Amino acid sequence: MDIFIQQCQEIIGTEYVYIGEVDKAPYLTDWGKRFTGQSKAVLKPKNVHEVASLVKLCQFHKIAIVPQGGNTGLCGGATPDKTGNSVVISTARLNAVRNLDLENAAITLEAGVILSHAQETALGAGKLFPLSLAAEGSCTIGGNLATNAGGVQVLHYGNMRDLTLGLEVVTPNGDIFNGLRGLRKDNTGYSLKDLYIGSEGTLGIITAATLKLYPLPCSKATAMVGLTSVKSAIDLIELSRMKSNANLTAFELISTRALNLVTKTTKNFDSLLNTTSGWVVLLEFSSMEDGTNSQARIETLLSEAFTSGLITDAMIANSIQQSKELWSIRETIPEAQLKLGTIIKHDISLPISALPDFILSAQVKLNDLYPNASTIIFGHLGDGNLHYNLAPNSPELSEWIEENRSSINQLIHNEVYKFSGSFSAEHGIGQSKRDELPQRKSAVEIELMRTIKKALDPQNIMNPGKIL
Ligand code: FAD
């Protein structure tokens, strides 16, 4: 047997070194089944010291490392390349809750803790950990940090970077950087945690994090409303902020095509807004005041929005169960799209004010050049973040859409930049957007990024071929 594999087995135990093709297979293809790679082994260390020893060993043998959490990333960042000269280091067994510090409203979790488990642990202590996204039952805290994940409550609580107080990281030469101090203020030079957040495994392996906790809201209210235009939805954001007393915690836009896709192709939903308008918004108010406060405020908002003609239809969830069902409609969209054949996804952000013009301008160009494809639009409107996806008009056109992927990407991304936006709002760069990055950032920015990468990882063993 390969000496490297033997040494891995000595460090973490034979049963945690997967070398058989069947054992490795689930770790070698991404969630969207777009990328497949090869790997010498999948390694499952149990603690930070085992991670550090494995990284030192990989340095010695010049073997590349692909960190992997829940493998729900949407840019191929956790999938190795096809050379087979790498190992996947899975954080699945780094899953301890190290500390719950209620006085400092902080929790320290290892990188492999599943996001929903982090939320439940906080809830069990009467606190809120607010990161929330559709993959929360599978994605990990380490993956959330490495991609600077966003989700549905960013407009109120911020993204993963805003929720992080400190990190523990194994650097590319196997040193352990312990930055788990959990201070709210710490201006002692470069913010290394901010460098690692969003680095997609290219600068080291995040092994633990100290994260912020928040008070649990006393009341919540969820509503789904119909609107005839994105401009109306934008006007509704500002009105919602005012009427919620600055407690607007979610504001999701869904095109009726995306809504119909979910309701017609997946399970039956009892709670459903029957609207013929082109757009739907799912919004949520939270409040620290008494139990009916949010409900009363959302009713006032909707009545005013009707009177002023901003919305055409509305339903307010009348129970926690109904609220969950409305959220489940939103969360099922990514899965429902897969039934349409090949999908071309764009995770874009724009200044909110520019969204109506962008949507119109992109649609005109698409109608002209790609009449065989239709858009499925949904996303976190409150953050100016749209998932602007394209599906073939029939599954038989999947091959055609695949052949046109790169020109469709260019068309949409050019439109995004014409309106001063970004081609990656929350999913990262990974391998799917790597080749386009130099076109979208200035030469100075790319050079600074390369300089950082070379300085920290001169042998390029950390997740090569991702981002840069
Ligand atoms: P992985 O997929 O395993 O890895 C992602 C990247 O992080 C890779 O580059 C990997 O190398 C790196 N990485 C993983 N763990 C570590 C570590 N410990 N140290 C260093 N690098 C590491 N994202 C959003 O932001 N908002 C959403 O609303 C959202 N919704 C989604 C809905 C669905 C249905 C799906 C499938 C995905 C969604 N995503 C969303 C994308 C994805 O869930 C997030 O990117 C998530 O943060 C990835 O976590 P993970 O543990 O699965 O990471």
Side-chain angles (χ1 to χ4, degrees), residues 31 266 331-340:
W31 185 87
T266 58
E331 282 157 9
T332 312
I333 303 172
E335 206 184 304
Q337 296 180 116
L338 299 177
K339 295 190 192 328
L340 294 175

Side-chain angles (χ1 to χ4, degrees), residues 151-323:
V152 296
Q153 301 203 91
V154 170
L155 83 167
H156 192 69
Y157 296 100
N159 53 20
M160 200 55 174
R161 191 185 300 283
D162 301 305
L163 301 175
T164 305
L165 295 169
L167 293 185
E168 178 187 81
V169 177
V170 172
T171 69
N173 53 14
D175 291 336
I176 298 172
F177 150 47
N178 184 340
L180 295 173
R181 288 178 289 278
L183 298 172
R184 304 271 158 169
K185 288 189 166 185
D186 184 14
N187 278 350
T188 48
Y190 303 137
S191 177
L192 297 176
K193 80 173 160 60
D194 286 312
L195 188 58
Y196 280 102
I197 296 170
S199 65
E200 299 184 50
T202 61
L203 301 178
I205 303 182
I206 299 166
T207 48
T210 301
L211 305 168
K212 293 179 191 169
L213 295 176
Y214 289 81
L216 272 178
C218 298
S219 71
K220 269 189 179 189
T222 313
M224 196 176 250
V225 303
L227 314 95
T228 53
S229 72
V230 176
K231 172 76 178 77
S232 299
I234 291 168
D235 292 342
L236 187 65
I237 299 177
E238 206 38 49
L239 190 62
S240 305
R241 283 209 170 98
M242 276 155 47
K243 297 294 170 192
S244 67
N245 197 19
N247 281 318
L248 175 66
T249 40
F251 198 98
E252 296 288 301
L253 181 76
I254 307 171
S255 65
T256 41
R257 177 147 200 259
L259 187 73
N260 291 339
L261 185 65
V262 174
T263 52
K264 294 200 174 120
T265 63
T266 58
K267 56 189 174 175
N268 283 333
F269 291 94
D270 295 330
S271 324
L272 188 59
L273 178 73
N274 229 335
T275 180
T276 50
S277 301
W279 301 91
V280 161
V281 160
L282 180 61
L283 71 155
E284 193 158 272
F285 284 10
S286 302
S287 173
M288 292 301 154
E289 294 162 20
D290 75 66
T292 54
N293 188 285
S294 299
Q295 191 84 5
R297 284 185 188 278
I298 223 163
E299 281 168 13
T300 310
L301 164 77
L302 297 186
S303 134
E304 203 166 302
F306 263 125
T307 312
S308 60
L310 272 186
I311 61 173
T312 53
D313 328 78
M315 69 172 287
I316 302 178
N318 57 22
S319 63
I320 294 175
Q321 189 47 39
Q322 204 170 38
S323 162

